[in-house]
């Protein structure tokens, strides 16, 4: 009991501290494991098998992953799963095996090292992709497809490693053949149960309308499928994935995912704690350069293999390299293989410790790599195309004038082009994705391949004669660079920029953009227009209010009330505008003062309203007088609002 309590206390404190400084919870769990493990405070002395309890977290993770993939969807991705995934595992094992042989390892140990380093972390990658909402992106789908095959590849690896302790090759082939037959039988059995029996069971469970029974049934199905595959000598995770895939087409899919999430998250945390418990921090001190060399070497090799294979499979460079950044780390199943190899004396203890240290370091930096993967991949893809010749410019592009140049031909850019086409307005689009450009040009679209940050490409689009330039990228940093490049070539052409939010509105205006359209704020305006219209407000008044808001640069939409989940990190705090109420006490300095005396323009904070007794005053002018017990509503940057609050209550002495 005391051990469980100690584990929970350390986990809670670590997660709280790490989240306070905006570090991922996964890293907190790893540190908690190091702290309470045998190499730390060694508070877990009982015979409780935390490793197997933590492994159930992997089981539930694979179950929720299976919910995302039906069999038809999996077959539709077979060129990635069995093309890129298969080649990645084979080539990675061969590359690491050969590299290990160069360092005088025996062939059996080298094979284990290759297998351990070839696998990536399903737990971290899927969790991070889900948290960031990137699971549906192409780079996310590539990553998931490769991870799926890696998880499948774990099954034969779990069979091969125990057999490496003996030298009988015939027994190894016999065991692999038996495992294959068992796998086919179990998959067929589970898929049959999922198609014919489970829907009827869940229909009866749902009719009872008991949340507890629904959750219990979900837990039973997940663990039963995992236990069944384990009974046949296969992995627990494979059974959980198949169970999720069986239920992926049912109408209960989303409720199932919601029910399993609390168990998954808690047990996943325990899994990472058990991983941290395996690491001796002393090895990070005694052999830091060795561990660093291993981490850099194997992550670089995996990065190149995954990126090249994805590109050769027809994926765009930015998606391929983004997936490569996401999957460069060592995976949780690698720790399982290391433990298995230790048990059968295939790996030396020193080598096992080095692999554990390198794996944990690679997993610790993975959330940071996933966060920046797309941005890094875009830069790398652009750099690769710098040396490529700009394609010959069609004559109609060279002669075209009074046209619209669309920088970025994704969904937004294509939507703009369709409306321009309907109005018979000529346009030229610029895009860096070779597959998209090829498809669009074959369909008769006017598209140039290249980066809009290159002068040659912009000149090829005849930027100096354009009537308008539309920058449709969602990434603000990229848009700023494009706007600056356009302004260096043409001082007069109007530039309209689309952004996801208003964080970079000032920098884009400063770079030379004439209009900036934050789609999050525009979406809010469209919602407001529908609300007002359906509430009976005359349509002409609705249009007038929307137009006024755009003329005022969305001023009423900038501020918001902060909450517990508001990102207050140093890098985002200055981009936020808060709305904050301030109560004027009876002894406040500002009582009886006019708003004009407060010098709000210099302080760059607005008073958007005053709540006095039981009514609200929104028409605040310079002659408005502040009274005691007024609730003054401020809008501005957080630090400026804090300073003005102290000023209102204490005067200049603050």
């Amino acid at each position: 009991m005391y051990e469980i309590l100690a584990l929970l206390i350390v986990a809670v404190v670590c997660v709280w501290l790490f989240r306070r400084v905006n570090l991922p919870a996964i890293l907190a769990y790893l540190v908690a494991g190091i702290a309470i493990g045998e190499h730390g405070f060694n508070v877990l002395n009982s015979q409780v098998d935390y490793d197997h309890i933590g492994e159930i977290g992997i089981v539930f993770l694979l179950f929720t992953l299976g919910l995302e993939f039906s069999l038809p969807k999996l077959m539709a991705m077979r060129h990635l799963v069995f093309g890129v995934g298969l080649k990645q595992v084979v080539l990675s094992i061969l590359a690491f095996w050969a590299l290990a042989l160069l360092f005088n390892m025996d062939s059996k140990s080298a094979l284990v090292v290759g297998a351990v380093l070839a696998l990536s972390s399903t737990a971290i990658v899927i969790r991070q992709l889900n948290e960031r909402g990137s699971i549906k992106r192409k780079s996310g789908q590539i990553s998931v497809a490769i991870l799926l095959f890696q998880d499948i590849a774990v099954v034969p690896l779990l069979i091969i490693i125990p057999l490496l302790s003996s030298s009988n090759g015939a027994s190894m082939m016999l065991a692999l053949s038996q495992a294959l037959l068992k796998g086919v039988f179990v998959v067929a059995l589970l898929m049959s149960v999922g198609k014919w029996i489970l829907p009827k069971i869940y229909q009866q469970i749902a009719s009872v309308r008991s949340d507890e029974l629904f959750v219990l049934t979900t837990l039973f199905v997940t663990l039963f499928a995992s236990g069944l595959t384990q009974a046949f000598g296969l992995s627990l995770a494979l059974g959980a994935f198949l169970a999720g895939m069986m239920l992926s087409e049912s109408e209960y899919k989303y409720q199932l995912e919601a029910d399993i999430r609390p168990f998954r998250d808690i047990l996943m945390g325990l899994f990472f704690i058990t991983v941290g418990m395996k690491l001796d921090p002393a090895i990070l001190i005694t052999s830091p350069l060795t561990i660093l060399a291993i981490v850099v070497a194997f992550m670089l090799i995996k990065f190149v293999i995954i990126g090249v294979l994805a590109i050769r499979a027809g994926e765009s460079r930015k998606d391929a390299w983004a997936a490569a950044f996401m999957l460069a780390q060592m995976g949780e199943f690698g720790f399982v293989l290391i433990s298995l190899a230790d048990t059968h004396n295939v790996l030396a203890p020193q080598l096992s410790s080095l692999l554990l240290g390198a794996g944990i370091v690679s997993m610790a930096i993975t959330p940071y790599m996933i966060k920046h993967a797309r941005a890094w991949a875009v830069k790398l893809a652009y750099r690769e195309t710098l040396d490529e010749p700009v394609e010959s410019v069609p004559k109609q592009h060279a002669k075209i004038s009074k046209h619209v140049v669309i920088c970025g031909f994704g969904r937004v850019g294509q939507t703009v082009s369709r409306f321009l086409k309907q109005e018979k307005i000529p346009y030229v689009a610029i895009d860096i994705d070779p597959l998209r450009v090829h498809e669009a040009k074959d369909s008769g679209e006017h598209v140039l391949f290249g980066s809009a940050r290159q002068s040659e490409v912009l000149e090829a689009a005849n930027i100096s004669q354009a009537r308008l330039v539309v920058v449709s990228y969602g990434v603000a940093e990229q848009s700023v660079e494009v706007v600056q490049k356009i302004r260096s070539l043409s001082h007069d052409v109007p530039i309209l920029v689309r952004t996801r939010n208003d964080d970079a509105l000032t920098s884009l205006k400063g770079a030379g953009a004439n209009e900036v359209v934050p789609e999050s704020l525009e979406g809010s305006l469209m919602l407001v227009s529908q609300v007002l219209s359906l509430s009976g407000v005359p349509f002409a008044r609705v249009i007038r209010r929307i137009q006024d808001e755009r003329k005022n640069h969305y001023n009423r939409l900038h501020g918001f009330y902060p909450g517990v989940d508001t990102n207050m990190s140093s890098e985002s705090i200055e981009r936020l505008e808060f709305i904050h109420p301030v109560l004027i006490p009876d002894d406040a300095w500002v009582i009886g003062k006019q708003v004009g005396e407060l010098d709000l323009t210099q302080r760059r904070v607005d008073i958007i309203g005053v709540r006095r007794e039981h009514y609200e005053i929104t028409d605040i002018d310079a002659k408005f007088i502040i009274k005691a017990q007024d609730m003054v509503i401020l809008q501005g940057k957080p630090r400026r609002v804090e300073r003005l609050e102290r000023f209102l209550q204490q005067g200049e002495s603050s």
Side-chain angles (χ1 to χ4, degrees), residues 71-92:
L71 186 59
K73 188 174 182 179
L74 190 61
M75 293 307 297
M77 295 178 63
R78 62 184 179 276
H79 74 288
L80 288 174
V81 176
F82 299 103
V84 180
L86 171 62
K87 293 176 182 176
Q88 182 271 323
V89 171
V90 173
L91 290 178
S92 297

PDB file of all heavy atoms in Angstrom, residues 71-92:
ATOM      1  N   LEU A  71     -10.620  -3.029 -41.364  1.00  0.00           N
ATOM      2  CA  LEU A  71      -9.890  -3.890 -42.308  1.00  0.00           C
ATOM      3  C   LEU A  71      -9.849  -3.290 -43.709  1.00  0.00           C
ATOM      4  O   LEU A  71      -8.787  -3.295 -44.350  1.00  0.00           O
ATOM      5  CB  LEU A  71     -10.519  -5.286 -42.325  1.00  0.00           C
ATOM      6  CG  LEU A  71      -9.768  -6.330 -43.153  1.00  0.00           C
ATOM      7  CD1 LEU A  71      -8.344  -6.497 -42.627  1.00  0.00           C
ATOM      8  CD2 LEU A  71     -10.506  -7.668 -43.129  1.00  0.00           C
ATOM      9  N   PRO A  72     -10.971  -2.741 -44.239  1.00  0.00           N
ATOM     10  CA  PRO A  72     -10.878  -2.089 -45.556  1.00  0.00           C
ATOM     11  C   PRO A  72      -9.896  -0.927 -45.573  1.00  0.00           C
ATOM     12  O   PRO A  72      -9.164  -0.734 -46.541  1.00  0.00           O
ATOM     13  CB  PRO A  72     -12.318  -1.595 -45.801  1.00  0.00           C
ATOM     14  CG  PRO A  72     -13.174  -2.483 -44.970  1.00  0.00           C
ATOM     15  CD  PRO A  72     -12.365  -2.785 -43.750  1.00  0.00           C
ATOM     16  N   LYS A  73      -9.870  -0.153 -44.482  1.00  0.00           N
ATOM     17  CA  LYS A  73      -8.939   0.969 -44.416  1.00  0.00           C
ATOM     18  C   LYS A  73      -7.503   0.476 -44.358  1.00  0.00           C
ATOM     19  O   LYS A  73      -6.597   1.056 -44.972  1.00  0.00           O
ATOM     20  CB  LYS A  73      -9.255   1.821 -43.186  1.00  0.00           C
ATOM     21  CG  LYS A  73      -8.466   3.124 -43.107  1.00  0.00           C
ATOM     22  CD  LYS A  73      -8.935   3.962 -41.945  1.00  0.00           C
ATOM     23  CE  LYS A  73      -8.195   5.293 -41.879  1.00  0.00           C
ATOM     24  NZ  LYS A  73      -8.668   6.131 -40.749  1.00  0.00           N
ATOM     25  N   LEU A  74      -7.286  -0.619 -43.616  1.00  0.00           N
ATOM     26  CA  LEU A  74      -5.945  -1.186 -43.523  1.00  0.00           C
ATOM     27  C   LEU A  74      -5.488  -1.702 -44.881  1.00  0.00           C
ATOM     28  O   LEU A  74      -4.325  -1.525 -45.267  1.00  0.00           O
ATOM     29  CB  LEU A  74      -5.931  -2.309 -42.489  1.00  0.00           C
ATOM     30  CG  LEU A  74      -4.565  -2.865 -42.084  1.00  0.00           C
ATOM     31  CD1 LEU A  74      -3.718  -1.770 -41.457  1.00  0.00           C
ATOM     32  CD2 LEU A  74      -4.724  -4.034 -41.132  1.00  0.00           C
ATOM     33  N   MET A  75      -6.396  -2.324 -45.612  1.00  0.00           N
ATOM     34  CA  MET A  75      -6.046  -2.815 -46.940  1.00  0.00           C
ATOM     35  C   MET A  75      -5.783  -1.663 -47.898  1.00  0.00           C
ATOM     36  O   MET A  75      -4.936  -1.760 -48.792  1.00  0.00           O
ATOM     37  CB  MET A  75      -7.177  -3.703 -47.482  1.00  0.00           C
ATOM     38  CG  MET A  75      -7.352  -5.013 -46.722  1.00  0.00           C
ATOM     39  SD  MET A  75      -5.819  -5.966 -46.597  1.00  0.00           S
ATOM     40  CE  MET A  75      -5.508  -6.303 -48.338  1.00  0.00           C
ATOM     41  N   ALA A  76      -6.501  -0.556 -47.713  1.00  0.00           N
ATOM     42  CA  ALA A  76      -6.271   0.614 -48.559  1.00  0.00           C
ATOM     43  C   ALA A  76      -4.886   1.206 -48.310  1.00  0.00           C
ATOM     44  O   ALA A  76      -4.312   1.849 -49.195  1.00  0.00           O
ATOM     45  CB  ALA A  76      -7.345   1.667 -48.304  1.00  0.00           C
ATOM     46  N   MET A  77      -4.330   0.980 -47.091  1.00  0.00           N
ATOM     47  CA  MET A  77      -3.001   1.497 -46.746  1.00  0.00           C
ATOM     48  C   MET A  77      -1.913   0.443 -46.925  1.00  0.00           C
ATOM     49  O   MET A  77      -0.788   0.624 -46.455  1.00  0.00           O
ATOM     50  CB  MET A  77      -2.996   1.979 -45.287  1.00  0.00           C
ATOM     51  CG  MET A  77      -3.890   3.157 -45.009  1.00  0.00           C
ATOM     52  SD  MET A  77      -3.861   3.594 -43.245  1.00  0.00           S
ATOM     53  CE  MET A  77      -2.131   4.039 -43.037  1.00  0.00           C
ATOM     54  N   ARG A  78      -2.233  -0.647 -47.599  1.00  0.00           N
ATOM     55  CA  ARG A  78      -1.280  -1.759 -47.651  1.00  0.00           C
ATOM     56  C   ARG A  78       0.035  -1.377 -48.330  1.00  0.00           C
ATOM     57  O   ARG A  78       1.087  -1.944 -48.014  1.00  0.00           O
ATOM     58  CB  ARG A  78      -1.913  -2.958 -48.358  1.00  0.00           C
ATOM     59  CG  ARG A  78      -2.297  -2.708 -49.810  1.00  0.00           C
ATOM     60  CD  ARG A  78      -3.014  -3.935 -50.394  1.00  0.00           C
ATOM     61  NE  ARG A  78      -3.411  -3.719 -51.772  1.00  0.00           N
ATOM     62  CZ  ARG A  78      -4.521  -3.105 -52.160  1.00  0.00           C
ATOM     63  NH1 ARG A  78      -5.365  -2.639 -51.236  1.00  0.00           N
ATOM     64  NH2 ARG A  78      -4.808  -2.944 -53.439  1.00  0.00           N
ATOM     65  N   HIS A  79       0.002  -0.408 -49.258  1.00  0.00           N
ATOM     66  CA  HIS A  79       1.253  -0.017 -49.911  1.00  0.00           C
ATOM     67  C   HIS A  79       2.195   0.669 -48.935  1.00  0.00           C
ATOM     68  O   HIS A  79       3.411   0.640 -49.118  1.00  0.00           O
ATOM     69  CB  HIS A  79       0.966   0.887 -51.109  1.00  0.00           C
ATOM     70  CG  HIS A  79       0.559   2.282 -50.750  1.00  0.00           C
ATOM     71  ND1 HIS A  79      -0.683   2.571 -50.203  1.00  0.00           N
ATOM     72  CD2 HIS A  79       1.232   3.471 -50.828  1.00  0.00           C
ATOM     73  CE1 HIS A  79      -0.761   3.871 -49.975  1.00  0.00           C
ATOM     74  NE2 HIS A  79       0.377   4.441 -50.339  1.00  0.00           N
ATOM     75  N   LEU A  80       1.632   1.283 -47.869  1.00  0.00           N
ATOM     76  CA  LEU A  80       2.467   1.878 -46.833  1.00  0.00           C
ATOM     77  C   LEU A  80       2.823   0.856 -45.749  1.00  0.00           C
ATOM     78  O   LEU A  80       3.975   0.758 -45.328  1.00  0.00           O
ATOM     79  CB  LEU A  80       1.756   3.073 -46.190  1.00  0.00           C
ATOM     80  CG  LEU A  80       1.623   4.347 -47.033  1.00  0.00           C
ATOM     81  CD1 LEU A  80       0.778   5.379 -46.304  1.00  0.00           C
ATOM     82  CD2 LEU A  80       2.996   4.927 -47.346  1.00  0.00           C
ATOM     83  N   VAL A  81       1.818   0.084 -45.309  1.00  0.00           N
ATOM     84  CA  VAL A  81       2.048  -0.876 -44.231  1.00  0.00           C
ATOM     85  C   VAL A  81       3.034  -1.956 -44.664  1.00  0.00           C
ATOM     86  O   VAL A  81       4.034  -2.228 -43.986  1.00  0.00           O
ATOM     87  CB  VAL A  81       0.717  -1.509 -43.778  1.00  0.00           C
ATOM     88  CG1 VAL A  81       0.978  -2.581 -42.721  1.00  0.00           C
ATOM     89  CG2 VAL A  81      -0.225  -0.452 -43.232  1.00  0.00           C
ATOM     90  N   PHE A  82       2.754  -2.575 -45.825  1.00  0.00           N
ATOM     91  CA  PHE A  82       3.585  -3.697 -46.266  1.00  0.00           C
ATOM     92  C   PHE A  82       4.667  -3.271 -47.257  1.00  0.00           C
ATOM     93  O   PHE A  82       5.552  -4.051 -47.569  1.00  0.00           O
ATOM     94  CB  PHE A  82       2.709  -4.778 -46.900  1.00  0.00           C
ATOM     95  CG  PHE A  82       1.691  -5.336 -45.947  1.00  0.00           C
ATOM     96  CD1 PHE A  82       0.362  -4.953 -46.014  1.00  0.00           C
ATOM     97  CD2 PHE A  82       2.071  -6.221 -44.957  1.00  0.00           C
ATOM     98  CE1 PHE A  82      -0.577  -5.453 -45.127  1.00  0.00           C
ATOM     99  CE2 PHE A  82       1.140  -6.727 -44.068  1.00  0.00           C
ATOM    100  CZ  PHE A  82      -0.184  -6.340 -44.152  1.00  0.00           C
ATOM    101  N   GLY A  83       4.580  -2.049 -47.764  1.00  0.00           N
ATOM    102  CA  GLY A  83       5.617  -1.542 -48.647  1.00  0.00           C
ATOM    103  C   GLY A  83       6.673  -0.821 -47.853  1.00  0.00           C
ATOM    104  O   GLY A  83       7.783  -1.321 -47.633  1.00  0.00           O
ATOM    105  N   VAL A  84       6.331   0.342 -47.353  1.00  0.00           N
ATOM    106  CA  VAL A  84       7.287   1.141 -46.580  1.00  0.00           C
ATOM    107  C   VAL A  84       7.610   0.464 -45.249  1.00  0.00           C
ATOM    108  O   VAL A  84       8.782   0.361 -44.852  1.00  0.00           O
ATOM    109  CB  VAL A  84       6.741   2.561 -46.343  1.00  0.00           C
ATOM    110  CG1 VAL A  84       7.741   3.391 -45.540  1.00  0.00           C
ATOM    111  CG2 VAL A  84       6.438   3.254 -47.659  1.00  0.00           C
ATOM    112  N   GLY A  85       6.584  -0.013 -44.524  1.00  0.00           N
ATOM    113  CA  GLY A  85       6.811  -0.619 -43.218  1.00  0.00           C
ATOM    114  C   GLY A  85       7.699  -1.845 -43.282  1.00  0.00           C
ATOM    115  O   GLY A  85       8.656  -1.979 -42.503  1.00  0.00           O
ATOM    116  N   LEU A  86       7.417  -2.759 -44.203  1.00  0.00           N
ATOM    117  CA  LEU A  86       8.214  -3.980 -44.353  1.00  0.00           C
ATOM    118  C   LEU A  86       9.659  -3.649 -44.705  1.00  0.00           C
ATOM    119  O   LEU A  86      10.609  -4.153 -44.091  1.00  0.00           O
ATOM    120  CB  LEU A  86       7.586  -4.868 -45.420  1.00  0.00           C
ATOM    121  CG  LEU A  86       8.404  -6.087 -45.855  1.00  0.00           C
ATOM    122  CD1 LEU A  86       8.624  -7.029 -44.685  1.00  0.00           C
ATOM    123  CD2 LEU A  86       7.723  -6.813 -47.010  1.00  0.00           C
ATOM    124  N   LYS A  87       9.829  -2.784 -45.692  1.00  0.00           N
ATOM    125  CA  LYS A  87      11.189  -2.427 -46.116  1.00  0.00           C
ATOM    126  C   LYS A  87      11.944  -1.706 -45.003  1.00  0.00           C
ATOM    127  O   LYS A  87      13.150  -1.913 -44.833  1.00  0.00           O
ATOM    128  CB  LYS A  87      11.122  -1.556 -47.369  1.00  0.00           C
ATOM    129  CG  LYS A  87      10.590  -2.278 -48.603  1.00  0.00           C
ATOM    130  CD  LYS A  87      10.465  -1.327 -49.786  1.00  0.00           C
ATOM    131  CE  LYS A  87       9.883  -2.038 -51.009  1.00  0.00           C
ATOM    132  NZ  LYS A  87       9.681  -1.095 -52.137  1.00  0.00           N
ATOM    133  N   GLN A  88      11.245  -0.850 -44.251  1.00  0.00           N
ATOM    134  CA  GLN A  88      11.916  -0.117 -43.169  1.00  0.00           C
ATOM    135  C   GLN A  88      12.446  -1.074 -42.113  1.00  0.00           C
ATOM    136  O   GLN A  88      13.600  -0.942 -41.666  1.00  0.00           O
ATOM    137  CB  GLN A  88      10.941   0.883 -42.533  1.00  0.00           C
ATOM    138  CG  GLN A  88      11.562   1.729 -41.419  1.00  0.00           C
ATOM    139  CD  GLN A  88      11.446   1.094 -40.038  1.00  0.00           C
ATOM    140  OE1 GLN A  88      10.439   0.461 -39.736  1.00  0.00           O
ATOM    141  NE2 GLN A  88      12.474   1.236 -39.216  1.00  0.00           N
ATOM    142  N   VAL A  89      11.632  -2.035 -41.698  1.00  0.00           N
ATOM    143  CA  VAL A  89      12.064  -2.975 -40.666  1.00  0.00           C
ATOM    144  C   VAL A  89      13.237  -3.816 -41.165  1.00  0.00           C
ATOM    145  O   VAL A  89      14.261  -3.960 -40.482  1.00  0.00           O
ATOM    146  CB  VAL A  89      10.893  -3.877 -40.229  1.00  0.00           C
ATOM    147  CG1 VAL A  89      11.392  -4.999 -39.326  1.00  0.00           C
ATOM    148  CG2 VAL A  89       9.828  -3.065 -39.505  1.00  0.00           C
ATOM    149  N   VAL A  90      13.125  -4.346 -42.379  1.00  0.00           N
ATOM    150  CA  VAL A  90      14.184  -5.215 -42.914  1.00  0.00           C
ATOM    151  C   VAL A  90      15.484  -4.439 -43.108  1.00  0.00           C
ATOM    152  O   VAL A  90      16.562  -4.865 -42.679  1.00  0.00           O
ATOM    153  CB  VAL A  90      13.725  -5.861 -44.242  1.00  0.00           C
ATOM    154  CG1 VAL A  90      14.881  -6.609 -44.885  1.00  0.00           C
ATOM    155  CG2 VAL A  90      12.555  -6.804 -44.002  1.00  0.00           C
ATOM    156  N   LEU A  91      15.395  -3.277 -43.777  1.00  0.00           N
ATOM    157  CA  LEU A  91      16.607  -2.497 -44.043  1.00  0.00           C
ATOM    158  C   LEU A  91      17.239  -1.980 -42.753  1.00  0.00           C
ATOM    159  O   LEU A  91      18.470  -1.943 -42.629  1.00  0.00           O
ATOM    160  CB  LEU A  91      16.282  -1.326 -44.974  1.00  0.00           C
ATOM    161  CG  LEU A  91      15.937  -1.686 -46.425  1.00  0.00           C
ATOM    162  CD1 LEU A  91      15.581  -0.433 -47.213  1.00  0.00           C
ATOM    163  CD2 LEU A  91      17.109  -2.406 -47.084  1.00  0.00           C
ATOM    164  N   SER A  92      16.411  -1.577 -41.777  1.00  0.00           N
ATOM    165  CA  SER A  92      16.957  -1.080 -40.514  1.00  0.00           C
ATOM    166  C   SER A  92      17.680  -2.189 -39.752  1.00  0.00           C
ATOM    167  O   SER A  92      18.786  -1.987 -39.234  1.00  0.00           O
ATOM    168  CB  SER A  92      15.843  -0.481 -39.646  1.00  0.00           C
ATOM    169  OG  SER A  92      15.260   0.636 -40.267  1.00  0.00           O
TER     170      SER A  92
END
